[in-house]
């Protein structure tokens, strides 16, 4: 639908609402006069009821979630109240006189009291509910803006990460730590790749596009600061760490975490400690 069609639809809606308001005008004014309102108050009374209905309708279109449900309840309550008062106005002939004065809205006293309470409580409710609806509309934040901002931030962050990953060299290559000094060969390490070497013709297709770094002696800064321990030192530390452990707790994983060693050495220490415990147990039984 184009703008002209929308404008025509809105104009038709405004016209229907205005005519409905005019039809309800006499009934609400006469009911207000019957409850003791002066001519000025009775003239303004229809704005209290039908006007708040229009305000609640606009708030329903703007608000969301709990606030929207609250506006719908207000709209339904005041629509029902206006319907009841218009219905009573059609049932009581005395309210149709040209000069309307204070009177009764129903012959039965309980019904009359209830109708008078309803008619007189609507202005007070309009003040409370109208103020609350206006406050909710003024403090309302559309969900679209709140939901769009994180996505924009996430997309920009993703773009930055992808751009960084696409760089030719995004981070220095990891440095392989040198083995223990006991495992090093006697001859000094020599680089296996020279700048003047040429790759064989048949191996060109299998080479990687990433340039390879020449291997050499690992700098002292990159080496681990933990001193290399001998097998006896590891066994002594394992004995101290597992002195109060039960046989069930004596596992390779527990020893590895306790003395900070490799899984292979931890398994050797586990077997050694178990053998020592079995030997100690058998010696104790023989002595007994």
């Amino acid at each position: 639908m184009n703008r002209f069609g929308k404008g025509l639809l809105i104009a038709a809606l405004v016209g229907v609402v205005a005519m409905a308001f005019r039809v309800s005008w006499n009934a609400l004014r006469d009911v207000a006069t019957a409850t003791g309102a002066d001519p000025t108050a009775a003239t303004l009374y229809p704005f209290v009821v039908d006007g708040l209905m229009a305000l609640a309708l606009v708030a329903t279109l703007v608000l969301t979630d709990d606030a929207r449900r609250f506006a719908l309840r207000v709209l339904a309550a005041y629509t029902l109240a206006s319907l009841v008062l218009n219905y009573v106005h059609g049932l009581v002939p005395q309210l149709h006189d040209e000069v309307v004065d204070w009177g009764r809205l129903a012959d039965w006293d309980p019904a009359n009291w209830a109708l008078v309470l309803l008619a007189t409580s609507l202005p007070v409710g309009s003040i409370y509910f109208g103020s609350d609806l206006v406050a909710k509309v003024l403090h309302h934040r559309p969900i679209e803006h709140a939901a769009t901002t994180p996505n924009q931030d996430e997309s920009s962050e993703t773009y930055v990460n992808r751009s960084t990953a696409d760089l030719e060299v995004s981070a220095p290559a990891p440095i392989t730590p040198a083995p223990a000094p006991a495992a090093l060969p006697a001859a000094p390490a020599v680089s296996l790749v020279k700048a003047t070497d040429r790759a064989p013709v048949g191996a060109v297709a299998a080479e990687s596009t990433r340039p390879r770094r020449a291997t050499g002696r690992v700098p002292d800064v990159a080496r681990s600061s933990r001193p290399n321990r001998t097998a006896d030192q590891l066994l002594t530390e394992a004995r101290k760490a597992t002195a109060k452990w039960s046989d069930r707790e004596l596992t390779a994983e527990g020893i590895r975490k306790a003395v900070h060693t490799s899984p292979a050495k931890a398994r050797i220490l586990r077997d050694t400690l178990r053998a020592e415990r079995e030997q100690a147990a058998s010696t104790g039984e023989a002595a007994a």
Side-chain angles (χ1 to χ4, degrees):
M1 184 180 293
N2 54 15
R3 294 183 178 180
F4 177 76
K6 292 181 179 179
L8 185 61
L9 182 62
I10 294 175
L13 177 61
V14 171
V16 171
V17 172
M19 288 184 289
F21 183 77
R22 179 62 185 86
V23 172
S24 179
W25 180 281
N26 289 339
L28 296 179
R29 182 192 59 186
D30 295 344
V31 169
T33 303
T35 57
D38 57 20
T40 303
T43 303
L44 297 177
Y45 187 80
F47 290 101
V48 174
V49 182
D50 295 342
L52 186 63
M53 289 169 54
L55 177 62
L57 178 60
V58 174
T60 302
L61 299 176
V62 175
L63 300 175
T64 57
D65 299 334
D66 294 339
R68 184 174 183 270
R69 287 189 286 269
F70 173 76
L72 285 173
R73 294 190 187 98
V74 174
L75 176 61
Y78 269 74
T79 301
L80 181 61
S82 178
L83 176 63
V84 171
L85 295 181
N86 278 270
Y87 178 71
V88 170
H89 182 266
L91 292 179
V92 181
Q94 293 82 0
L95 300 178
H96 304 168
D97 297 339
E98 295 182 358
V99 181
V100 182
D101 198 358
W102 181 86
R104 295 174 60 87
L105 299 179
D107 295 334
W108 188 39
D109 288 340
N112 181 64
W113 297 338
L115 291 173
V116 171
L117 177 61
L118 174 64
T120 54
S121 62
L122 290 178
V124 180
S126 297
I127 297 174
Y128 175 77
F129 294 118
S131 302
D132 196 7
L133 289 175
V134 171
K136 290 181 184 299
V137 171
L138 294 178
H139 291 83
H140 174 67
R141 292 184 178 180
I143 300 178
E144 297 178 356
H145 298 288
T148 305
T149 304
N151 294 335
Q152 293 178 351
D153 296 340
E154 182 179 358
S155 60
S156 61
E157 183 180 356
T158 304
Y159 176 76
V160 172
N161 293 335
R162 289 180 179 176
S163 301
T164 306
D166 292 338
L167 295 177
E168 183 177 358
V169 180
S170 59
I175 300 175
T176 304
L184 290 175
V190 181
S191 174
L192 300 178
V193 179
K194 296 182 180 179
T196 58
D197 289 345
R198 294 183 179 179
V201 178
V204 173
E207 287 185 353
S208 176
T209 57
R210 177 177 295 182
R212 297 178 60 185
R213 298 185 59 185
T215 59
R217 185 175 181 274
V218 179
D220 296 336
V221 179
R223 295 186 178 183
S224 177
S225 60
R226 180 183 296 276
N228 295 321
R229 294 166 293 180
T230 62
D232 294 336
Q233 292 176 346
L234 283 175
L235 183 58
T236 302
E237 293 184 10
R239 286 171 181 168
K240 293 180 180 180
T242 62
K244 297 182 179 180
W245 291 11
S246 61
D247 294 340
R248 186 176 182 181
E249 295 174 346
L250 190 62
T251 60
E253 182 64 19
I255 295 174
R256 185 188 66 81
K257 293 180 179 180
V259 300
H260 304 286
T261 186
S262 63
K265 293 182 179 180
R267 288 192 292 269
I268 296 174
L269 293 174
R270 176 200 60 189
D271 297 338
T272 304
L273 293 175
R274 286 183 177 179
E276 290 180 354
R277 291 192 178 188
E278 292 177 359
Q279 184 178 2
S282 61
T283 303
E285 292 178 357

